[in-house]
Amino acid sequence: MDTPSVNSHKLRQQYPQKHNHYKFSEFFQFNRVEGTIADWNGSRNILTSEDFIIGLLEGLEEEVGAASAAVMYSIGVEWGKQDSLFFDQWFEREYNTKPQQANLMFLLETWWWPFTAQGWGRWEIDMADRQQGFMFINLFDSAVARTLGDVGKPVCYLYAGLYAGFFTEMVRKQLSCIEIQCYSMGETYCKFLLGAKERIDAAAFWLNEGATATDIEKRLRSGDPL
Amino acid sequence: MMIDPNMQHNQTPQQAKTVEIVSVSDFFEQINWYGKNLADADGLMLESAAYGTVGHFFSTFPWRGSTSTLPSDNVRTDSDSEVFSIEEDDTLTLEDLSALF
């Protein structure tokens, strides 16, 4: 992630205490002279087309075959870890509060808002099962799934890795994530399961055996042996 | 089928009386956006409350279903950022989440 400088966003310099800054014209700053796009937090952005996403995924698949899913997941994990460090900085700078002391839902929504502004989709966190050590993330308008369309299998490995990496860093526990329902399977939205590795491995096994997201949810809630 | 706008459709004299047509802009103008002089079911007059900010407006909502106070009781005069605390109270924090995994 390229983070040139927090001072590169002029509107931010003008209104440092403004929090509702996710309007397209406010969140992004287009520098025509340098040919760069910086967002409110000073992160460098690039615009890509759907063709780029298709090219990236298909090119990778051609190169490494079925391992492309694992590669995308690993890229996502690294991205999530890096982004958690970056988020730590800008959250504290903007709200004068350490992430560890903030209201969790507020913190997580604040983390995801830039992603929404960048076109990665909206999300919804389902923490109803947190006492059992797992949680669900519903993603609407996944950039990857929306681009690939209905291909009959989950495709959002990058997102799964992103969530795994981010939450691993934030909660200081090794977590994994799997997409158990995807827009590219004909569903209306994508659903991710986040939890400890053994639980995610079990979900992956059930998914390979043909279980649906609802089946997996039921088995997890009933405490099925992993 | 052609529809005659003057057709009366077997209306009785009471039904035939002119219906007041309200345009969309008229409709929105009728909404008491600023909450002034609203009377509730008990006939109580709510305090005139000009909502200076969105934060004030939402702070008047009985979010927890409490009916023991009038919405105007909750109106505060401080800024948006002070209406909502981002710091932990009785809610989850990252450390709580960490303990669950």
Side-chain angles (χ1 to χ4, degrees):
Chain A
M1 178 184 300
D2 186 0
T3 53
S5 161
V6 292
N7 298 322
S8 58
H9 200 294
K10 285 177 185 158
L11 201 62
R12 185 200 163 93
Q13 282 179 295
Q14 237 178 315
Y15 304 103
Q17 295 306 312
K18 185 173 166 60
H19 301 310
N20 54 337
H21 48 244
Y22 294 103
K23 194 174 159 187
F24 183 80
S25 57
E26 292 178 2
F27 187 68
F28 297 105
Q29 179 177 273
F30 295 83
N31 187 331
R32 288 183 185 175
V33 179
E34 292 179 4
T36 57
I37 307 169
D39 67 28
W40 187 272
N41 301 313
S43 180
R44 175 88 174 267
N45 285 240
I46 56 167
L47 301 176
T48 63
S49 62
E50 292 193 339
D51 285 344
F52 174 85
I53 297 174
I54 292 172
L56 176 68
L57 296 176
E58 290 189 351
L60 192 61
E61 201 163 338
E62 201 172 305
E63 289 293 325
V64 299
S68 66
V71 173
M72 290 305 289
Y73 183 84
S74 302
I75 293 171
V77 169
E78 203 50 44
W79 178 22
K81 286 183 175 177
Q82 293 294 323
D83 195 60
S84 77
L85 302 176
F86 181 54
F87 172 65
D88 246 7
Q89 294 167 10
W90 70 256
F91 182 86
E92 191 168 346
R93 190 173 62 228
E94 186 164 335
Y95 294 102
N96 292 320
T97 303
K98 287 188 181 301
Q100 288 74 15
Q101 292 164 337
N103 174 311
L104 182 63
M105 292 310 285
F106 175 80
L107 181 85
L108 297 180
E109 287 301 325
T110 304
W111 174 61
W112 191 253
W113 257 108
F115 288 90
T116 302
Q118 289 163 345
W120 293 100
R122 292 170 298 114
W123 81 345
E124 177 185 76
I125 306 174
D126 176 1
M127 288 206 181
D129 300 293
R130 64 179 186 275
Q131 298 290 354
Q132 296 189 62
F134 60 90
M135 56 186 252
F136 295 104
I137 296 170
N138 298 328
L139 178 73
F140 308 94
D141 296 330
S142 154
V144 177
R146 191 181 55 206
T147 301
L148 295 185
D150 190 350
V151 294
K153 59 178 184 177
V155 294
C156 304
Y157 299 102
L158 185 66
Y159 285 89
L162 172 67
Y163 296 140
F166 175 77
F167 282 96
T168 292
E169 278 298 317
M170 294 307 277
V171 306
R172 310 268 198 269
K173 296 260 175 79
Q174 189 62 48
L175 299 178
S176 297
C177 185
I178 185 174
E179 186 181 30
I180 57 173
Q181 170 183 305
C182 185
Y183 178 80
S184 284
M185 297 159 70
E187 302 289 345
T188 49
Y189 63 91
C190 303
K191 194 178 195 78
F192 298 86
L193 169 67
L194 181 79
K197 186 178 179 300
E198 56 270 26
R199 206 181 292 268
I200 301 306
D201 287 346
F205 174 76
W206 295 332
L207 201 62
N208 283 336
E209 295 288 300
T212 64
T214 312
D215 296 335
I216 293 171
E217 284 177 51
K218 277 184 189 163
R219 295 182 81 154
L220 287 170
R221 283 175 182 144
S222 66
D224 248 12
L226 304 177
Chain B
M1 185 179 81
M2 293 294 289
I3 298 174
D4 178 2
N6 300 316
M7 197 161 53
Q8 290 299 307
H9 294 296
N10 301 326
Q11 289 165 322
T12 60
Q14 287 84 2
Q15 288 170 320
K17 79 176 177 186
T18 313
V19 176
E20 188 187 357
I21 308 275
V22 181
S23 70
V24 174
S25 60
D26 287 343
F27 175 77
F28 282 111
E29 276 175 20
Q30 287 172 14
I31 295 177
N32 189 4
W33 297 107
Y34 297 100
K36 286 177 180 167
N37 303 321
L38 275 180
D40 68 7
D42 298 321
L44 290 171
M45 294 299 288
L46 299 185
E47 193 178 305
S48 172
Y51 304 113
T53 65
V54 174
H56 292 165
F57 176 70
F58 283 110
S59 70
T60 64
F61 279 48
W63 295 110
R64 288 164 202 264
S66 167
T67 52
S68 58
T69 55
L70 290 172
S72 57
D73 291 344
N74 297 327
V75 175
R76 292 173 55 176
T77 54
D78 43 13
S79 70
D80 268 1
S81 58
E82 289 164 331
V83 169
F84 174 65
S85 168
I86 63 161
E87 293 192 8
E88 60 176 312
D89 35 41
D90 57 345
T91 54
L92 277 176
T93 64
L94 267 180
E95 281 168 12
D96 297 326
L97 185 67
S98 178
L100 296 170
F101 287 112

